[in-house]
Amino acid sequence: MSGSILIVDDEKGQRDILSAILSKKGYRITSVPSGEEALQELEQAEYDLMLTDLKMQGISGMELMERVLSDNPSQCVVMMTAHGTIDSAVEAMKKGAFDYLEKPLEREDLILTVQRAFERIMLLKENRVLHKKLAETRTLPNMIGEHPKMMEVARIIHKIAPTSTTVLIYGESGTGKELVARAIHDGSPRKDKAFFAINCAAIPDALIESELFGHEKGSFTGAGSREIGIFEAAEGGTVFLDEIGEMNVSMQAKLLRAIQEKEIRRVGGKVNIPVDVRIISATNKDLEQETKRGNFREDLFYRLNVIRITLPPLRERGNDIVTLANFFLNKYSRASGMSVKGIGKPALKILLDYNWPGNVRQLESVIERGVLMAESDYIQPEDLPAEVHHDASPAGSLPFDFPAEGISIDNLERDLITKAMERADWVIAKAAPLLGMSYKTLQYRLEKFGIGRPE
């Protein structure tokens, strides 16, 4: 582990202990005995992390943090506080501290907190690099095309991005819901803060509260240290909740409270922690129908549904299929070093006639395969996967003749699920949309049929 840390504490013994522990972990350490010297040091050099005591002679840790953050809002600060001054620690976090440590310090808590701080620092650095690349290239795949429905999506994004209102994105799997959420974040005043995306269907019910809100040490079996959740980590930024319709009703109530009160409580904690995040959620379910069935809280639905963006499926975007296909062709030709010049007319007709249940994500996968398989300068029908060749049958008809001896529905379902899992490389979240199922439904079916990845 590498990185620079400025330790600020008026107790020499404390500084020496912290320096010794963190130096052994590979961090570059500078320590000073006062807030005044810390400010002088920060004028001369940059530090990834500042670890400061709260109560010191002269400039206090709180005042030091405020002055540092006013000059450099991205500076990561961890506050050390004496036992019994938790309120001050919460106040410090409200004013911009990443986290706090309670004295007397425990070695493991110190190391884990510093590790988490550096994970956050690296994420922010990567975010800034990605934002710069995004601004330079402007290649959001799902925003390519000129179909009126996509132009309307772009208009809404431009209009609402600068606000802090909640947004609910509707769309089938693969239409680009997360990229739309990122576009909203990138167009907002929060663009230099963190963006966190979480798939609600991919996290077990027992863990989702801890994932979102964090937990205290000892709050459940295996909770060996305090962990902050996504809401705290995204302070000042955006949280994207994908497949929100899969969240259980109990967790929905806690999410509603977090949105309304703008504060969260870690699992096993007793302190309410203020949070400032923008919530963007997405679903491929009809949440209005889910509220009528009792599967989704009506009050939460209205909180999330302030602005609604509906992404059209690829099959409804007409000639955008050609535009996107050419974009992906150029992208993967460059990436693979293949000199594929275009898509042959017969192959293009197949792409235009296909129904695209996996939408833009599936088209990208098909074109990537086509580039790799092409034997000539142009992608031909034989370079495309079998699935796109077998969609010409009329709606509602079977793509095969019904056998005279009849058919076993269970065997057919088992075979279809196995094929989908193989195509998705045994990733449930990717296979579920291919079958028109939710993550949890497919998980149940896999258990029911005893289907598992071959050894």
Side-chain angles (χ1 to χ4, degrees), residues 278-397:
R278 182 185 198 168
I279 304 294
I280 301 175
S281 49
T283 184
N284 54 16
K285 287 187 170 184
D286 184 341
L287 290 189
E288 287 172 284
Q289 287 300 317
E290 291 298 302
T291 60
K292 290 174 184 174
R293 297 187 188 111
N295 296 331
F296 202 85
R297 289 182 65 106
E298 190 174 21
D299 45 6
L300 177 59
F301 170 68
Y302 289 126
R303 279 282 178 180
L304 298 174
N305 194 44
V306 177
I307 297 292
R308 179 188 300 210
I309 295 177
T310 302
L311 285 175
L314 184 57
R315 60 185 171 274
E316 293 179 8
R317 291 177 57 184
N319 213 47
D320 278 0
I321 293 173
V322 179
T323 309
L324 284 160
N326 285 324
F327 169 80
F328 292 131
L329 176 83
N330 292 329
K331 174 183 174 181
Y332 287 106
S333 293
R334 286 195 303 269
S336 63
M338 306 277 191
S339 57
V340 181
K341 294 178 181 176
I343 303 169
K345 284 187 178 179
L348 202 56
K349 185 178 185 307
I350 291 170
L351 297 181
L352 287 166
D353 288 343
Y354 185 57
N355 200 38
W356 297 110
N359 293 291
V360 179
R361 188 185 296 130
Q362 185 186 10
L363 174 62
E364 180 174 7
S365 173
V366 166
I367 298 301
E368 182 182 10
R369 180 189 189 277
V371 168
L372 296 173
M373 298 299 292
E375 297 286 345
S376 67
D377 290 344
Y378 291 86
I379 292 177
Q380 301 298 342
E382 57 269 23
D383 303 323
L384 301 175
E387 77 225 32
V388 301
H389 291 275
H390 301 304
D391 198 48
S393 53
S397 67

Side-chain angles (χ1 to χ4, degrees), residues 22 106 158 163 167 187 194 295 356 362:
L22 296 173
E106 290 188 19
H158 179 74
T163 72
V167 181
N295 296 331
W356 297 110
Q362 185 186 10

Side-chain angles (χ1 to χ4, degrees), residues 126-266:
E126 288 170 12
N127 248 359
R128 283 195 287 272
V129 171
L130 287 172
H131 286 321
K132 188 177 178 185
K133 286 182 179 176
L134 211 61
E136 290 170 353
T137 59
R138 298 183 67 81
T139 53
L140 276 174
N142 66 311
M143 298 305 292
I144 289 171
E146 297 181 354
H147 190 277
K149 289 183 179 179
M150 289 308 295
M151 298 300 283
E152 175 63 9
V153 168
R155 187 189 71 81
I156 296 172
I157 290 172
H158 179 74
K159 189 83 173 171
I160 57 96
T163 72
S164 286
T165 190
T166 55
V167 181
L168 182 58
I169 305 168
Y170 276 88
E172 295 177 7
S173 180
T175 49
K177 297 187 287 293
E178 182 173 340
L179 287 171
V180 168
R182 285 186 181 274
I184 294 169
H185 174 76
D186 292 339
S188 76
R190 299 170 179 266
K191 63 184 178 183
D192 293 325
K193 300 291 186 178
F195 175 94
F196 281 93
I198 182 170
N199 187 318
C200 299
I203 299 173
D205 290 347
L207 296 179
I208 192 162
E209 183 179 0
S210 170
E211 188 75 16
L212 291 178
F213 299 155
H215 62 258
E216 296 290 349
K217 182 178 179 179
S219 56
F220 54 84
T221 304
S225 65
R226 184 175 71 226
E227 295 280 353
I228 66 167
I230 282 172
F231 271 59
E232 283 184 81
E235 177 66 20
T238 303
V239 173
F240 174 56
L241 302 172
D242 199 4
E243 295 199 51
I244 188 73
E246 299 296 330
M247 184 179 283
N248 68 74
V249 177
S250 169
M251 189 63 218
Q252 289 172 28
K254 292 170 183 173
L255 175 62
L256 176 64
R257 186 185 179 282
I259 294 171
Q260 287 178 332
E261 304 300 327
K262 298 188 187 306
E263 61 182 25
I264 57 103
R265 183 179 294 178
R266 295 179 186 144

Side-chain angles (χ1 to χ4, degrees), residues 6 31-42:
L6 177 62
S31 65
V32 293
S34 68
E36 290 84 356
E37 290 187 47
L39 291 172
Q40 290 172 13
E41 187 64 38
L42 287 165

Side-chain angles (χ1 to χ4, degrees), residues 395-424:
S397 67
L398 287 169
F400 56 85
D401 291 331
F402 197 89
E405 67 276 12
I407 199 165
S408 164
I409 293 294
D410 277 356
N411 288 343
L412 179 61
E413 185 178 4
R414 182 186 288 106
D415 290 346
L416 285 170
I417 290 172
T418 303
K419 292 276 188 191
M421 290 298 290
E422 286 171 351
R423 181 168 297 283

